[in-house]
């Protein structure tokens, strides 16, 4: 249903720091309109909303057109084909995905590489912007286009048309692409892939889906004939299975004209193959399966109950049913999260709900990431919590909190209805085409929710729980993970489920909590100084306690405020023997809650709010980050104020956190990626105690609760020298009382405000190491260039340009010409803290047989850049991409916060944000060449290669089939399928 637009477009009611929170702004919700609505007719079909035009050509092609102004001068185009890997014949396994790759390798109007090169020249990045994906039942092509030049739009529609019926399938290009796709397949190899091959036949209960993973079979990919590939394209790329989605800064009449001009000529085959959808049989029996692998990075249990067809009738009643389902999932998830916080918790995390297995089938699932206590306690708790909900239902307070959070989510979406990104709308229309999701538009949806949610009763929710949580049915009980002495057998899994189902359960007991976090401080501070920066739209305030504030009200979004602050200090001020306590102080303090409230208490108190704050010690800075909705600024500031007021000490929650982290580390210890990452850090920094390495499981026992609290309080009992930056949708006059009440009353006693250089330096000279880990024939190459450098904005731009050009070369040479990698690339940074330095990391996954060739080719391109610099076309692609991204980012609150924060920590000019286009335009090929000579020092780098230990081993599998066992409820946990 179309309420998934809301789920996809908005944040959860409790936001993370990295998230951008929303909340109700200037405009009020359309309550008058709701109060005047006639009672909804539940069996009425949900109409298509007025925001989008949906049409169909005579050949059956469907199109969606919507004008949308965010981002400005940008158009999101999609070609959607109802054809994926499920339609492949036996000799075509993997070719649906192969067709998708070939669409970028030449067509009627674009020669091989010409399309990608042209799009890069107008600022469309390959992978980051231009992309596509193939799944079981669909293939989707993604094309975002700048609309500042009319010819960009007309050529973009030509691209879509070529994808639809003009792909060339040149034989040489096909053979070249085999290597690239085989490298993509290689990336997916490992424990998850090996275990998945054992699991999928049972998860899909013998359905064709288990045999048609989109990546396909290697023998087919290596040996298929070009005609076989062309047959798939001819059979399934046809207009009656296609949709064109057009959303963005374009006149709808012009868009419709272009759709008709380019797609009316497409023809369907005279005798089209029927487009059938694979069935998934319902499970009648009960079975257990144990699948282990030495490289697995965690242990988990899943209980899957019989699949059932998805019945979405597109009516208001079906929409209401989905709201009920969402409330149920929210309440049950909250209970499972509460158990996760207990001392000696039975799991690291758990979930339970009714979820889709494919667009046409769903199943009730129960899953848990297993903790140190093993599988049996996790299974028992999963089954019993589901039984508790099924037998006794939910409480009134639980339902009210869930309703508040749900309503807030829709309110956020309604508030941003005129400022949602075009890509979000495009995704909604894709779901409408593929899954018949209703698209009435957010205004209609919000009215539905306001009308329907208040009428959902506790009795109705409890009845839903009784009929949704299975009681007696067949089921699959699945255990996956690392083989251990206590790994359960199949019969033991089934016995654990059966035994848990027989135990009595009591109703959920909920304690009463305060209605709010705190009262507003009685004596606010005052504003002692004020100045304005009209060019940047800033107001700078000084408060009576010495705290400073930078305000930038914006209209980028109606319902978002972002907060940031940082000052020198951080972990650097503490001795090496305290580094673990300092590094984990943030997480430990957060894990125990705030004031008198546990983290779960906080979730309950903040129901219906959109606000979050994190406070912690970085390596060299004390950092604060937050986000809120426009009406939840006070809540955000209260959370911040309480962080400075003290620490809630809770030994049980501390030990629960440490035990979980140790178990995660223990589970990851055999994973090749973990060993490789640690080897890279070791090669760069040796055994320096500050090196950013992973911890071994037993090292977590060295963390001391009281010392961690003391370190945190040492830095966050004072806001001295803090400058708080707030950017977003707020009224500057209205926010001032909040700033003086909360920021103006923060304590500011003296404390050291400077970082300490701890002497962490990368090794010098050329260092080469090899790591042997993993059984699959896959390797990874890490090449790191580091050294001292003088920091400046101009030099940062030159280094960034060098990295971008390097990435173009990696794709052009290592992927497209040599076909020896699928992904990979370079990244890097220039920093002045704690000393002027730079780092460039190049990461290249490939095959063991290709390592030397890939390394040699990489250094050959480095040498070519040093000797000749980039060519004009390469530099123009980089500049175009940067300018497009910058123009879009200028309308984003987070971009401004980052710029203002770096101006304070790095000492740069905040007004440089207004000069980016001039700075980019002034960049020359000689600048990039000089940067290549300066930063790619071939006498000073670290190269680490991961190679496999031995031949791959199959995952260990054990299973059990009982004669008859009573069914039991479960929880969700749908596996991610490779290639989807």
């Amino acid at each position: 249903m179309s309420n998934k637009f809301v789920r996809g477009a908005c944040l959860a009611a409790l936001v993370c720091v990295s998230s951008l929170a929303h909340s109700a702004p200037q405009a009020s919700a359309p309550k008058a309109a709701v109060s005047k609505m006639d009672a909804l007719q539940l069996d009425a079909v949900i109409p298509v909303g007025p925001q989008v035009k949906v049409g169909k050509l005579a050949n059956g092609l469907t199109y969606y057109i919507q004008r949308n102004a965010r981002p400005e001068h940008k158009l999101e185009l999609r070609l959607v084909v109802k054809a994926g890997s499920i339609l492949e014949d036996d000799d075509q396994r993997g070719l649906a995905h192969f067709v998708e790759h070939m669409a970028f390798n030449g067509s009627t109007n674009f020669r091989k590489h010409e399309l990608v090169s042209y799009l890069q020249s107008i600022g469309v990045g390959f992978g980051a912007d231009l992309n596509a994906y193939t799944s079981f039942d669909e293939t989707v092509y993604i094309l975002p286009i700048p609309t500042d030049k009319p010819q960009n739009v007309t050529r973009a529609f030509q691209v879509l048309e070529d994808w639809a019926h003009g792909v060339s399938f040149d034989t040489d290009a096909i053979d070249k692409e085999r290597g690239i796709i085989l490298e993509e397949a290689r990336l997916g190899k490992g424990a998850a892939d090996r275990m998945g091959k054992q699991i999928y036949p049972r998860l899909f209960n013998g359905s064709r889906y288990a045999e048609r993973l989109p990546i396909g079979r290697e023998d087919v990919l290596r040996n298929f004939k070009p005609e076989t590939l062309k047959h798939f394209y001819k059979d399934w790329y046809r207009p009656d299975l296609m949709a064109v989605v057009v959303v963005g800064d374009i006149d709808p009449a012009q868009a419709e004209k272009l759709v008709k001009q380019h797609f009316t000529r497409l023809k369907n085959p005279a005798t089209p193959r029927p487009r059938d959808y694979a069935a998934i049989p319902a499970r009648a029996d009960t079975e257990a399966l144990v699948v282990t692998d030495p490289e697995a990075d965690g242990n988990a249990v899943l209980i899957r109950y019989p699949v059932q067809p998805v019945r979405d009738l597109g009516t208001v009643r079906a929409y209401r049913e989905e709201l009920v389902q969402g409330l149920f999932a929210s309440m049950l998830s909250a209970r499972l999260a509460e158990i996760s916080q207990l001392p000696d918790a039975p799991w690291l995390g758990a979930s339970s709900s009714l979820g889709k297995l494919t667009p046409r089938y769903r199943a009730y699932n129960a899953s848990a990431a297993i903790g140190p206590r093993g599988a049996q306690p996790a299974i028992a708790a999963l089954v019993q919590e589901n039984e508790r909900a099924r037998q006794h239902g939910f409480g009134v307070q639980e339902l009210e909190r869930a309703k508040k959070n749900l309503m807030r989510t829709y309110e956020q979406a309604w508030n941003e209805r005129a400022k949602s990104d075009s890509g979000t709308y495009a995704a909604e229309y894709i779901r409408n085409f593929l899954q018949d999701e209703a698209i009435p538009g957010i205004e209609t949806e919000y009215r539905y929710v306001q009308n329907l949610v208040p009428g959902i009763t506790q009795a109705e929710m409890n009845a839903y729980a009784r009929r949704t949580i299975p009681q007696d049915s067949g089921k699959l009980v699945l255990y996956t993970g690392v083989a251990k002495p206590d790994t359960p057998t199949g019969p033991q899994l089934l016995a654990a489920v059966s035994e848990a189902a027989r135990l009595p359960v009591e109703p959920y007991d909920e304690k009463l909590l305060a209605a709010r976090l705190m009262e507003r401080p009685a004596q606010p501070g005052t504003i002692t100084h004020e100045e304005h920066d009209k060019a940047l739209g800033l107001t700078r305030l000084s408060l009576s306690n010495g705290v400073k504030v930078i305000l930038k009200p914006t209209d980028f979004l109606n319902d978002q405020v972002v907060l940031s602050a940082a000052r020198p200090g951080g972990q650097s001020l503490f001795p090496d023997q305290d580094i673990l306590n300092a590094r984990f102080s943030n997480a430990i303090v957060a894990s125990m809650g705030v004031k008198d409230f546990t983290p779960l208490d906080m979730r309950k108190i903040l129901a219906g709010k959109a606000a979050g704050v994190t406070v912690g010690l970085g390596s060299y800075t004390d950092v604060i980050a937050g986000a809120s909705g426009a009406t939840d600024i006070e809540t955000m500031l209260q959370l911040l104020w309480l962080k400075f007021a003290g620490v809630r000490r809770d030994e049980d929650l501390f030990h629960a956190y440490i035990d979980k982290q140790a178990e995660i580390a223990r589970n990851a210890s055999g994973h090749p990626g973990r060993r490789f990452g640690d080897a890279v850090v070791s090669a760069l920094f040796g055994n320096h105690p500050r090196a950013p390495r992973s911890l071994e499981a037993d090292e977590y026992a060295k963390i001391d609760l009281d010392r961690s609290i003391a370190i945190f309080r040492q830095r966050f009992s004072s806001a001295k020298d803090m400058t708080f930056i707030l950017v977003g949708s707020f009224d500057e006059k209205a926010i001032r009382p909040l700033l003086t009440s909360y920021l103006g009353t923060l304590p500011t006693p003296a404390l050291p405000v400077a970082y300490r250089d701890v002497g962490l330096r990368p090794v010098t000279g050329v260092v080469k190491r090899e790591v042997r880990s993993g059984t699959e024939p896959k390797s990874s190459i890490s090449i790191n260039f580091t050294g001292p450098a003088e920091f400046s904005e101009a030099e940062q731009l030159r280094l960034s340009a060098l990295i971008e050009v390097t990435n173009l070369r990696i794709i052009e040479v290592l992927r497209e010409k040599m076909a020896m990698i699928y992904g990979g690339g370079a990244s890097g940074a220039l920093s002045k803290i704690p000393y002027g330095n730079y780092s460039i990391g190049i990461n290249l996954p490939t095959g063991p047989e290709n390592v030397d060739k890939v390394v040699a080719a990489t250094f050959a391109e480095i040498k070519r850049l040093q000797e000749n610099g980039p060519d004009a076309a390469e530099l123009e692609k980089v500049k175009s991409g940067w300018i497009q991204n910058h123009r879009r980012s200028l309308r984003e609150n987070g971009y401004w916060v980052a710029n203002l924060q770096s101006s304070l920590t790095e000492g740069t000019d905040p007004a440089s944000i207004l000069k980016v286009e001039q700075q980019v335009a002034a960049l020359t090929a000689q600048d990039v060449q000089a940067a290549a000579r300066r930063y790619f020092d071939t006498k000073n780098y670290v190269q680490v290669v991961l190679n496999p230990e031995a031949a791959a081993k199959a995952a260990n599998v054990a299973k059990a089939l009982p004669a008859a066992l009573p069914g039991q409820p479960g929880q969700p946990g749908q596996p991610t399928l490779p290639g989807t």
Side-chain angles (χ1 to χ4, degrees):
M1 300 294 292
S2 60
N3 58 8
K4 287 173 190 165
F5 165 75
V6 176
R7 296 175 191 166
C10 302
L11 302 172
L14 268 181
V15 295
C16 304
V17 226
S18 59
S19 303
L20 301 178
H22 301 275
S23 182
Q26 315 102 329
S28 59
K31 294 181 180 177
V34 174
S35 63
K36 295 178 181 178
M37 275 183 63
D38 295 331
L40 291 175
Q41 299 299 313
L42 293 180
D43 292 320
V45 175
I46 295 175
V48 172
Q51 79 284 356
V52 60
K53 176 166 187 177
V54 183
K56 183 168 284 195
L57 301 180
N59 57 17
L61 183 139
T62 304
Y63 59 89
Y64 302 79
I65 297 171
Q66 178 181 346
R67 169 176 263 165
N68 188 59
R70 181 180 168 89
E72 293 178 331
H73 310 301
K74 190 78 173 285
L75 182 64
E76 293 288 346
L77 297 176
R78 305 289 187 268
L79 175 68
V80 189
V81 188
K82 287 183 178 177
S85 58
I86 202 70
L87 298 176
E88 294 165 348
D89 297 331
D90 286 343
D91 62 347
Q92 294 176 327
R93 291 171 67 171
L95 299 198
H97 176 232
F98 209 115
V99 166
E100 172 217 310
H101 274 242
M102 292 307 299
F104 299 91
N105 276 281
S107 62
T108 303
N109 292 282
F110 297 91
R111 296 189 303 274
K112 179 176 172 61
H113 303 315
E114 183 181 341
L115 171 61
V116 172
S117 182
Y118 160 68
L119 291 171
Q120 288 173 332
S121 73
I122 62 172
V124 180
F126 182 50
D129 301 314
L130 174 69
N131 216 323
Y133 74 85
T134 303
S135 189
F136 286 118
D137 285 301
E138 76 270 6
T139 304
V140 178
Y141 296 87
I142 301 165
L143 180 57
I145 287 291
T147 59
D148 49 347
K149 296 179 180 178
Q151 62 266 33
N152 291 347
V153 176
T154 56
R155 289 203 80 183
F157 274 87
Q158 185 62 68
V159 171
L160 287 191
E161 182 190 344
D162 277 17
W163 284 340
H165 73 151
V167 176
S168 299
F169 297 108
D170 175 77
T171 301
D172 290 340
I174 290 172
D175 289 337
K176 182 74 73 175
E177 201 66 26
R178 292 181 202 265
I180 294 172
I181 293 180
L182 287 167
E183 286 301 321
E184 182 178 359
R186 191 197 301 272
L187 279 179
K189 291 181 181 296
D193 177 59
R194 292 191 294 269
M195 292 192 293
K197 289 174 181 174
Q198 305 297 329
I199 294 167
Y200 294 139
R202 289 169 177 79
L203 281 181
F204 290 111
N205 203 25
S207 166
R208 184 180 176 89
Y209 281 103
E211 302 172 353
R212 289 296 185 273
L213 297 181
I215 197 62
R217 289 175 48 136
E218 288 190 28
D219 59 333
V220 173
L221 295 173
R222 292 181 189 279
N223 300 309
F224 73 85
K225 291 179 168 47
E227 285 304 314
T228 309
L229 184 66
K230 295 175 187 177
H231 275 306
F232 184 91
Y233 185 68
K234 180 180 178 182
D235 286 340
W236 303 115
Y237 276 59
R238 61 195 205 216
D240 65 324
L241 297 179
M242 289 181 177
V244 172
V245 179
V246 185
V247 183
D249 201 352
I250 189 172
D251 175 58
Q254 178 196 4
E256 187 172 29
K257 180 180 178 181
L258 287 166
V259 169
K260 292 179 177 179
Q261 175 185 330
H262 285 277
F263 293 96
T264 300
R265 70 189 77 174
L266 273 65
K267 299 185 183 303
N268 290 298
T271 54
R273 293 180 66 174
R275 196 334 182 171
D276 298 324
Y277 289 86
I280 303 178
R283 176 178 292 279
D285 59 354
T286 292
E287 178 184 10
L289 185 67
V290 177
V291 183
T292 61
D293 192 283
E295 297 173 17
D297 58 2
N299 305 300
V301 64
L302 165 71
I303 306 173
R304 165 156 288 160
Y305 293 88
V307 298
Q308 50 190 273
V310 173
R311 295 179 65 250
D312 186 350
L313 304 178
T315 62
V316 175
R317 186 185 304 278
Y319 190 95
R320 188 180 188 278
E321 178 76 4
E322 193 160 324
L323 294 174
V324 170
Q325 180 182 331
L327 291 170
F328 166 82
S330 173
M331 291 187 287
L332 188 53
S333 293
R335 288 188 180 182
L336 299 179
E338 188 167 350
I339 293 173
S340 301
Q341 297 283 335
L342 296 175
D344 207 22
W347 51 53
L348 303 178
S351 60
S352 188
S353 70
L354 188 65
K356 283 188 176 181
L357 182 58
T358 73
R360 286 169 173 75
Y361 288 92
R362 63 184 184 177
Y364 195 83
N365 302 290
S367 69
I370 297 171
R373 294 173 57 195
Q376 196 279 333
I379 291 173
L382 279 176
V383 172
Q384 289 165 12
E385 286 310 308
N386 274 273
E387 273 300 288
R388 195 183 318 280
R390 190 184 66 80
Q391 293 180 26
H392 302 293
F394 299 97
V396 173
Q397 291 182 43
E398 289 180 285
L399 180 57
E400 287 308 305
R401 285 195 301 271
K403 284 183 175 182
K404 285 180 181 179
N405 288 332
L406 181 67
M407 291 295 295
R408 180 48 166 230
T409 303
Y410 278 88
E411 182 184 33
Q412 292 168 346
W414 185 82
N415 288 333
E416 303 295 5
R417 63 197 180 280
K419 296 181 179 180
S420 295
D421 281 347
S422 296
T424 302
Y425 289 113
E428 187 182 11
Y429 302 143
I430 290 171
R431 294 194 300 272
N432 174 262
F433 181 65
L434 296 174
Q435 304 174 28
D436 297 321
E437 179 181 308
I439 48 173
I442 186 57
E443 297 210 29
T444 298
E445 288 198 58
Y446 191 36
R447 288 197 295 269
Y448 284 174
V449 169
Q450 288 186 307
N451 186 286
L452 296 171
V453 170
I456 298 173
T457 66
Q458 179 190 16
E460 181 181 1
M461 290 305 311
N462 293 345
Y464 178 87
R466 286 192 296 273
R467 71 174 183 268
T468 300
I469 300 173
Q471 183 179 12
D472 295 302
S473 69
K475 63 184 73 66
L476 172 67
V477 184
L478 172 66
Y479 176 95
T480 59
V482 181
K484 298 182 175 182
D486 63 348
T487 297
T489 63
Q492 287 173 333
L493 289 176
L494 296 174
V497 172
S498 180
E499 181 181 350
R502 290 193 296 268
L503 295 175
V505 291
E506 298 296 323
Y508 176 74
D509 183 27
E510 181 168 33
K511 67 179 180 180
L512 293 176
L513 292 170
R516 55 184 293 139
L517 289 173
M518 60 177 288
E519 298 299 324
R520 187 177 294 189
Q523 295 295 325
T526 59
I527 297 171
T528 60
H529 180 72
E530 178 176 341
E531 60 184 57
H532 300 273
D533 184 332
K534 292 184 179 180
L536 294 177
L538 306 179
T539 298
R540 302 178 190 270
L541 304 176
S542 296
L543 305 182
S544 51
N545 59 350
V547 166
K548 296 181 180 179
V549 182
I550 299 175
L551 299 175
K552 181 174 176 59
T554 69
D555 61 357
F556 307 154
L557 291 172
N558 292 332
D559 205 358
Q560 182 188 85
V561 178
V562 184
L563 176 146
S564 178
R567 70 182 170 200
Q571 300 167 24
S572 72
L573 299 183
F574 299 92
D576 289 348
Q577 60 266 31
D578 258 337
I579 187 58
L580 291 184
N581 295 318
R583 184 178 296 172
F584 286 90
S585 62
N586 319 338
I588 288 168
V589 169
S591 75
M592 297 186 294
V594 173
K595 195 181 177 183
D596 301 322
F597 309 121
T598 68
L600 281 165
D601 293 339
M602 296 289 291
R603 287 179 59 177
K604 295 175 181 179
I605 294 169
L606 296 175
K609 301 286 186 182
V613 171
T614 61
V615 172
L617 281 72
S619 296
Y620 296 98
T621 52
D622 306 326
V623 180
I624 298 173
S628 82
T631 57
D632 292 320
I633 297 172
E634 182 165 13
T635 300
M636 176 177 66
L637 294 176
Q638 287 178 342
L639 289 169
L640 172 61
W641 194 92
L642 290 170
K643 294 285 189 180
F644 282 87
V647 170
R648 181 181 184 276
R649 188 182 187 281
D650 190 318
E651 284 199 43
D652 289 339
L653 288 177
F654 165 72
H655 288 299
Y657 172 80
I658 292 297
D659 290 347
K660 287 179 183 177
Q661 298 308 308
E663 182 68 8
I664 291 169
R666 194 174 295 114
N667 291 337
S669 61
H671 193 275
R674 155 76 183 269
R675 294 177 178 175
F676 181 51
D678 286 346
V680 172
V681 171
S682 175
L684 280 167
F685 300 108
N687 295 320
H688 197 288
R690 307 276 177 154
R693 62 178 180 82
S694 306
L695 292 193
E696 299 298 332
D698 58 0
E699 291 183 279
Y700 284 93
K702 300 176 183 178
I703 299 173
D704 181 83
L705 170 60
D706 289 316
R707 183 57 185 151
S708 293
I709 291 175
I711 288 172
F712 184 89
R713 289 297 295 153
Q714 190 170 327
R715 299 307 299 167
F716 289 104
S717 59
S718 172
K720 178 179 171 57
D721 279 11
M722 281 284 189
T723 298
F724 292 90
I725 303 165
L726 288 96
V727 179
S729 52
F730 56 82
D731 178 84
E732 196 174 311
K733 182 178 180 181
I735 202 176
R736 290 182 180 224
L738 299 179
L739 300 177
T740 55
S741 293
Y742 294 103
L743 300 185
T745 58
L746 290 175
T748 54
L751 85 169
V753 182
Y755 61 82
R756 179 174 67 93
D757 188 340
V758 298
L760 181 63
R761 298 289 190 276
V763 67
T764 57
V766 176
V767 176
K768 296 184 179 181
R769 291 187 185 175
E770 181 189 35
V771 181
R772 290 276 181 175
S773 183
T775 55
E776 294 289 352
K778 54 191 293 188
S779 296
S780 287
I781 303 162
S782 173
I783 304 171
N784 288 272
F785 297 88
T786 59
E790 185 176 343
F791 178 88
S792 71
E793 287 185 275
E795 196 60 24
Q796 194 170 36
L797 189 70
R798 296 181 194 110
L799 176 60
S800 297
L802 172 63
I803 290 168
E804 294 294 334
V805 171
T806 301
N807 281 324
L808 291 176
R809 295 280 180 93
I810 286 172
I811 295 300
E812 178 189 355
V813 177
L814 299 181
R815 174 178 159 134
E816 298 300 329
K817 290 184 179 179
M818 299 175 67
M820 288 187 177
I821 67 168
Y822 170 71
S827 60
L830 191 65
S831 178
K832 65 184 299 183
I833 299 175
Y835 68 102
N837 70 94
Y838 77 94
S839 63
I840 300 175
I842 302 175
N843 294 287
L844 303 165
T846 189
E849 70 279 10
N850 293 328
V851 166
D852 291 343
K853 297 174 186 175
V854 169
V855 170
T858 301
F859 277 94
E861 290 307 310
I862 287 173
K863 184 177 181 181
R864 194 155 69 94
L865 277 171
Q866 292 173 328
E867 293 178 348
N868 306 316
D871 60 45
E874 287 176 318
L875 188 56
E876 186 56 37
K877 290 173 184 178
V878 170
K879 289 183 175 183
S880 295
W882 278 355
I883 289 172
Q884 290 292 334
N885 289 334
H886 172 68
R887 289 174 179 172
R888 180 177 65 246
S889 298
L890 278 175
R891 299 286 300 171
E892 295 174 356
N893 294 321
Y895 187 63
W896 279 91
V897 165
N899 177 74
L900 292 170
Q901 188 64 74
S902 66
S903 74
L904 295 176
T905 55
E906 304 278 6
T908 56
D909 178 9
S912 64
I913 196 172
L914 303 179
K915 307 169 187 173
V916 168
E917 291 197 32
Q918 298 95 302
Q919 292 167 348
V920 169
L923 191 69
T924 67
Q926 290 73 28
D927 290 330
V928 179
Q929 182 181 12
R933 292 172 175 172
R934 182 178 304 119
Y935 299 119
F936 282 139
D937 183 354
T938 55
K939 296 180 180 179
N940 187 59
Y941 67 91
V942 170
Q943 176 182 304
V944 182
V945 176
L946 171 68
N947 279 321
E949 296 174 289
K953 300 175 183 177
N956 296 315
V957 185
K959 59 183 178 179
L961 291 162
L965 282 173
Q968 267 315 311
Q971 301 175 333
Q974 197 166 308
T976 301
L977 304 178
T980 62

